Amino acid sequence: MQIQDLPYPDPGVPDARSGPRFLWWLFKNQAGGQLKSLAWGLLHFLSVSALPLCVGVAVQAVVDRSGAQLALAGGLLVLCCAGNALGDTLLHRTAVTNWITAAARVQQVLARKAAQLGSALTRRVAAGEVVAVSTGDVEKIGWFVEAWSRFTAAAVTIVVVCVGLLVYQPALGVVVAVGLPVLAVAVLPLLPRATKRADFQREKAGRATELASDTVAGLRVLRGIGGEELFLDRYRRASQEVRHAAVRSARMWSLISAIQVLLPGLLLIAVVWYGVHLARQGRVTVGELVTVYSSIMILTYPLRHFEEIAMAYSFSRPSARRAARVLSLERATDTDGSRDGSEVASGDLYDPATGLLAPAGRLTAVVCGDPDAAGRLAERLGGHPSEEGTAVLLGGVPLDELPLDRARTAVLVQDKDPVLLSGTLRELLDVPRSGEVGAEEALAAAQCADVLAALVQGSLDAQDPMDARITERGRSLSGGQRQRLALARSLITDPEVLVLDEPTSAVDSHTEARIAEGLQNLRAGRTTVVFTSSPLLLDRADRVVLVHEGEVAAVGVHRELVHGEPRYRAVVTRETDEEAALSEDLGASSGASPGASAGASLRERSALDDVLKELEEIEESA
């Protein structure tokens, strides 16, 4: 795999049982690139390690006054330099390719997992952790994959040089062959502590990243309640903890680096001292002594890769563990795709767990007093629940028996906090669609006229609103404007079933009334489920369902339920517990039935009349 061939057609199924298993899976999938990098690494390191032999031959040629040996030394030197240049260049190329392709593979499997889990991902793993895994952790994992082949080439080179020195000069070669393994394993006792400190640093950095991500996401709210300084202080403390952890980790790695410099120096002194002693006895020549001395000097270069692989593994292991944790998450209901993907699912949408029924081709409004419960129910209706349970049925077909892509084509869920990606409006609306709803129709139904004007005004070179640019997450727009653009994006897809979770919570009542009318007209004949407590949307719905404590408690139309169902009225009219208790007390004291006693409350009647009057005024103005 080359960089220009990315992305992978199929990144594979990762082994997410543990961090080391995930690294091993990644290494196996990069085997071809690893072998190429190993081959070029051997050429590079062996060429570098052969330079002392060329120098030794040249020195001995000068001592012996032999022109033929000097020419031989020059020729060997040219070959070694050429091999060094070629090997180093292609080693760097293949190593960087391994790094980038490994990181791309990890990002692809993470993106595939995120697409599979949908909104359930951030309910099970913090959004900041997902960001940390997809950015910093991916780079560290790629670093380990890239460093492994260079380390292997360095280790093989050291073994070859030791064997070569034993053959070339046994007396000095024994000293080198014994000393080099000691150098290689000398830092092993320090690695567990260094790894522990690196893990601690990574954990602190991950928490700081999560805190920063969550703070940025909620910056508008923080400014509204004056909590910026509070969260800034929290981030400062978290940042200082990361700094202290990084300093402690760096101290340990600096100690390891110092040992990697000190011990080769001691070995070099020992070889020189022993070599001079042998040279005086005439057991070694000057050229042999220079060759062995130079070999030890050169071998400090491949020895550094032992430290690098230790660092790479120490930093990548916690990253791989975090990535494996995300990749090990599974859908609460497995989509095995047992049914034919060409089958068109249609019909009534039914949730056996709550008893919620959304008839085909009708607008169904769902009232739920708990916003979190409403969000979980919306996820269930979309076929990707965060908790295990009975599958939702679409036309009698369980959604988890359909291929995942087919299920999500049939049912589209827009949550209460939709995300707008940066780019032009044309790119925002470039989503899979049926082709039956145009961009102008969707934008008009979502009442986006003022949004288009604001986008054109904020863009210097855009005459067409569709070419106007949207900033990251639409931060330059108000909450209501972002909400309407997200609604237009959902409407243009024209799915068989559209589930909207509080789609108008950030718009004013007059705009909300027009959106309700546009939604009803545009989605005529299509199944639409709206989670809302707005009387304006509820009054437009063909069917209203009250979900209380996880079960359907009442079904009807808005005006009937608001008169006859106290629990429904408490949610829609924002009735307080004190008002409800007063209503029940007044009803009980008059001896009336529960329904009559609820209607006897003066406060309830006043609130109800205000709601109905507002509905009538908006309908007249529209």
Side-chain angles (χ1 to χ4, degrees), residues 238-262:
S239 178
Q240 289 301 312
E241 290 177 358
V242 174
R243 185 178 69 85
H244 291 311
V247 170
R248 293 184 72 248
S249 179
R251 286 173 180 169
M252 183 56 64
W253 287 111
S254 63
L255 176 60
I256 293 175
S257 298
I259 292 175
Q260 291 287 314
V261 174
L262 175 64

Side-chain angles (χ1 to χ4, degrees), residues 219-252:
L219 187 59
R220 185 183 296 271
V221 177
L222 291 178
R223 287 175 175 173
I225 63 176
E228 294 174 87
E229 289 299 326
L230 174 63
F231 276 80
L232 181 59
D233 290 340
R234 288 180 59 187
Y235 182 75
R236 283 172 177 164
R237 290 194 297 269
S239 178
Q240 289 301 312
E241 290 177 358
V242 174
R243 185 178 69 85
H244 291 311
V247 170
R248 293 184 72 248
S249 179
R251 286 173 180 169
M252 183 56 64

Side-chain angles (χ1 to χ4, degrees), residues 37-49 91 146-162 180 184 260 298-309:
S37 185
L38 175 61
W40 293 118
L42 287 173
L43 176 61
H44 168 59
F45 286 118
L46 290 175
S47 298
V48 172
S49 300
L91 171 62
E146 176 265 342
W148 179 258
S149 57
R150 288 189 287 113
F151 161 73
T152 305
V156 172
T157 300
I158 289 174
V159 173
V160 171
V161 171
C162 288
L180 283 178
Q260 291 287 314
I298 292 295
L299 285 179
T300 56
Y301 170 55
L303 276 174
R304 294 176 186 172
H305 290 79
F306 284 76
E307 176 191 352
E308 182 191 13
I309 195 63

Side-chain angles (χ1 to χ4, degrees), residues 39 67 108 132 153-154 162 167 219 314 322 348 358 378 402 406 427 431 437 465-466 485 498 509 545 570 599 613:
Q108 278 189 249
C162 288
V167 175
L219 187 59
S314 298
R322 289 160 64 97
D348 297 343
L402 293 174
R406 185 67 192 91
E427 293 170 341
V431 293
V437 177
M466 298 298 290
L485 282 180
L498 177 60
S509 58
V545 179
K613 183 178 180 181

Side-chain angles (χ1 to χ4, degrees), residues 383-399:
H384 41 95
S386 57
E387 301 173 353
E388 293 187 2
T390 307
V392 171
L393 307 178
L394 179 59
V397 178
L399 285 180

Side-chain angles (χ1 to χ4, degrees), residues 364-388:
T364 301
V366 181
V367 176
C368 187
D370 184 358
D372 293 332
R376 291 191 294 270
L377 180 54
E379 290 178 353
R380 283 183 52 79
L381 296 180
H384 41 95
S386 57
E387 301 173 353
E388 293 187 2

Side-chain angles (χ1 to χ4, degrees), residues 259-507:
I259 292 175
Q260 291 287 314
V261 174
L262 175 64
L263 294 184
L266 295 177
L267 177 62
L268 186 61
I269 292 174
V271 169
V272 171
W273 178 84
Y274 185 56
V276 171
H277 177 70
L278 293 178
R280 286 179 176 178
Q281 295 178 351
R283 297 171 58 183
V284 299
T285 64
V286 175
E288 290 174 341
L289 179 59
V290 171
T291 299
V292 176
Y293 170 82
S294 302
S295 297
I296 297 175
M297 291 289 294
I298 292 295
L299 285 179
T300 56
Y301 170 55
L303 276 174
R304 294 176 186 172
H305 290 79
F306 284 76
E307 176 191 352
E308 182 191 13
I309 195 63
M311 291 183 65
Y313 180 71
S314 298
F315 282 97
S316 66
R317 190 181 67 172
S319 297
R321 184 171 63 246
R322 289 160 64 97
R325 181 192 171 202
V326 175
L327 294 172
S328 64
L329 298 175
E330 298 293 340
R331 288 168 50 84
T333 55
D334 295 331
T335 301
D336 57 9
S338 57
R339 291 181 177 264
D340 185 3
S342 62
E343 178 181 354
V344 178
S346 60
D348 297 343
L349 185 67
Y350 177 66
D351 178 27
T354 59
L356 173 63
L357 174 65
R362 300 179 66 184
L363 173 59
T364 301
V366 181
V367 176
C368 187
D370 184 358
D372 293 332
R376 291 191 294 270
L377 180 54
E379 290 178 353
R380 283 183 52 79
L381 296 180
H384 41 95
S386 57
E387 301 173 353
E388 293 187 2
T390 307
V392 171
L393 307 178
L394 179 59
V397 178
L399 285 180
D400 60 5
E401 291 188 7
L402 293 174
L404 184 59
D405 57 347
R406 185 67 192 91
R408 290 189 173 171
T409 302
V411 183
L412 174 66
V413 179
Q414 176 183 304
D415 61 24
K416 65 182 65 178
D417 297 313
V419 176
L420 301 182
L421 301 178
S422 59
T424 65
L425 180 58
R426 193 184 310 278
E427 293 170 341
L428 177 70
L429 300 180
D430 185 16
V431 293
R433 65 185 74 182
S434 67
E436 299 295 329
V437 177
E440 294 183 0
E441 297 175 90
L443 291 168
Q447 300 299 310
C448 294
D450 62 317
V451 185
L452 300 181
L455 288 174
V456 172
Q457 185 177 3
S459 300
L460 299 178
D461 55 349
Q463 302 298 327
D464 187 349
M466 298 298 290
D467 295 326
R469 296 198 63 81
I470 300 173
T471 57
E472 180 189 4
R473 288 180 173 267
R475 299 189 188 280
S476 61
L477 302 173
S478 67
Q481 290 174 329
R482 291 197 302 270
Q483 203 170 53
R484 282 178 280 165
L485 282 180
L487 177 59
R489 180 178 59 186
S490 299
L491 292 175
I492 200 174
T493 61
D494 190 35
E496 182 70 25
V497 179
L498 177 60
V499 180
L500 303 172
D501 188 5
E502 294 290 352
T504 58
S505 58
V507 302

